[in-house]
Amino acid sequence: MPKSKRLMELMMTVNRKRRFKVQELADEFGVSTRTILRDLQELSELGVPLYSEVGPHGGYQVIRERVLPPIAFTEEEAVAMFFAVHALRHYSSLPFETESASALNKFYLHMPGDVRDRIDGMKDRVDFVTPTRRSEAPCLSILLEAAVQQKVLAIQYESKEEGERSRLIQPVCIYANTGLWYCTAYCFLRRGFRVFRCDRVSEASYDESGTEPLDLGAVRLSRREEAVPRNPIRLRAELSRSGVQRCEAELWLASMLAVREDGSGSIDKDVSRDDIPFYAEFFIGLGDGVVLEEPRELREAIRRRLSELQARYAEPG
């Protein structure tokens, strides 16, 4: 077997095994232990993080930050991968911020010169626009990790209604929408699913009070809408085409929206009564694009808010 091919297969083998002995690899590849030791030295110089342990039970292992084997991309695939990561630069916070910047830099520098020239030419011709937000979300990584591992977090969360207070939550997923990050989680305080603005989570750590995690393994990103609202109230509204277009831009509203063939639409869904102040602000922003039919409490909240705004901008007496 040519040395270049052996090194490639050896890299994939050690990444798969994670822990191994030199004699095992020598037997598997049909070469001497001296040859395997030279090959492992070359892999280490190429960046594969190997760690050796001496003694009768020793051997080699790949530490956690392992290097993945090379992947062959076509030119079109390479350009697509570059811009997929490049688009993330609009976000002030990412759950893998340092890693994405490092990966993009490595990817770009190892491309052939003509492909780099093509990417440089495209940078000023294509973009994936996302509103740039000033608020940072410092807890994205632990929110994502807790969602994957189904663990309970103790967080400090600031809301408009209650100010900053402690919460116990079990994250289900995080997602970005219009430049902001959100976390859907089970809230042990409210005893139901809630959506939290990640930039309002100032602190997060794994819970040490002994709260048992729930089995949320079947809850997926696409099933956020299945959460049953607490203290429900029926919301019905008719939307014009422009109203539908503005609602379609809101990820949290997608499951509530019914769109007709002519582009108009409607909303008929139970929502949480506690969220009426939020819905009042949102429907005011839709202007002529919506006719709210019920609930009465929401219509009254909108009238009160409009009266407050009218008083604020009234001509001085």
Side-chain angles (χ1 to χ4, degrees), residues 170-216:
Q170 184 174 333
V172 173
C173 64
I174 63 172
Y175 62 93
N177 185 32
T178 62
L180 292 171
W181 284 94
Y182 298 86
C183 175
T184 300
Y186 182 87
C187 177
F188 289 89
L189 175 67
R190 301 299 186 192
R191 297 184 180 180
F193 289 95
R194 292 290 185 272
V195 176
F196 297 89
R197 276 262 303 268
C198 295
D199 58 302
R200 294 178 180 169
V201 180
S202 58
E203 298 178 21
S205 59
Y206 289 110
D207 173 55
E208 297 180 352
S209 68
T211 302
E212 282 294 321
L214 303 176
D215 183 5
L216 303 179

Side-chain angles (χ1 to χ4, degrees), residues 159-290:
S159 65
K160 291 182 179 179
E161 296 78 17
E162 300 176 335
E164 186 170 88
R165 65 180 302 179
S166 300
R167 300 265 191 120
L168 283 182
I169 66 169
Q170 184 174 333
V172 173
C173 64
I174 63 172
Y175 62 93
N177 185 32
T178 62
L180 292 171
W181 284 94
Y182 298 86
C183 175
T184 300
Y186 182 87
C187 177
F188 289 89
L189 175 67
R190 301 299 186 192
R191 297 184 180 180
F193 289 95
R194 292 290 185 272
V195 176
F196 297 89
R197 276 262 303 268
C198 295
D199 58 302
R200 294 178 180 169
V201 180
S202 58
E203 298 178 21
S205 59
Y206 289 110
D207 173 55
E208 297 180 352
S209 68
T211 302
E212 282 294 321
L214 303 176
D215 183 5
L216 303 179
V219 182
R220 294 289 185 267
L221 181 66
S222 61
R223 295 177 58 190
R224 291 189 308 272
E225 67 273 10
E226 295 183 8
V228 177
R230 182 173 179 265
N231 194 11
I233 189 170
R234 187 181 183 189
L235 189 157
R236 288 199 307 123
E238 285 294 317
L239 300 163
S240 67
R241 292 180 63 181
S242 63
V244 167
Q245 290 172 359
R246 295 183 64 180
C247 288
E248 285 177 331
E250 301 293 335
L251 188 62
W252 58 268
L253 194 53
S255 65
M256 302 168 62
L257 196 59
V259 183
R260 305 185 184 97
E261 290 186 4
D262 63 358
S264 64
S266 64
I267 296 173
D268 189 348
K269 189 82 171 180
D270 284 347
V271 299
S272 173
R273 195 182 301 267
D274 298 338
D275 291 335
I276 282 181
F278 167 78
Y279 286 111
E281 296 283 354
F282 178 75
F283 283 119
I284 287 173
L286 292 182
D288 293 337
V290 63

Side-chain angles (χ1 to χ4, degrees), residues 8-66:
M8 183 77 70
E9 292 190 6
L10 183 60
M11 181 184 293
M12 291 186 287
T13 299
V14 299
N15 271 284
R16 184 178 67 251
K17 286 179 176 291
R18 297 300 300 274
R19 189 178 181 87
F20 53 89
K21 293 186 177 182
V22 172
Q23 188 61 57
E24 294 175 10
L25 297 180
D27 294 340
E28 184 172 338
F29 284 88
V31 295
S32 67
T33 56
R34 180 178 296 182
T35 299
I36 288 294
L37 285 171
R38 284 199 302 266
D39 289 348
L40 290 175
Q41 179 63 33
E42 289 195 38
L43 290 185
S44 181
E45 292 172 357
L46 289 171
V48 178
L50 296 172
Y51 172 74
S52 63
E53 294 179 345
V54 298
H57 301 291
Y60 282 81
Q61 68 181 54
V62 182
I63 60 178
R64 187 167 178 236
E65 296 298 326
R66 54 184 172 169

Side-chain angles (χ1 to χ4, degrees), residues 280 284 296 298-308:
I284 287 173
R296 175 180 52 81
L298 180 52
R299 293 169 62 92
E300 292 173 353
I302 290 175
R303 283 195 291 270
R304 285 195 302 272
R305 183 60 179 145
L306 289 174
S307 296
E308 293 171 359

Side-chain angles (χ1 to χ4, degrees), residues 138-139 142-143 153-157 164 200-205:
C139 300
I142 192 171
L143 289 170
L153 294 180
I155 67 169
Q156 288 293 118
Y157 187 75
E164 186 170 88
R200 294 178 180 169
V201 180
S202 58
E203 298 178 21
S205 59

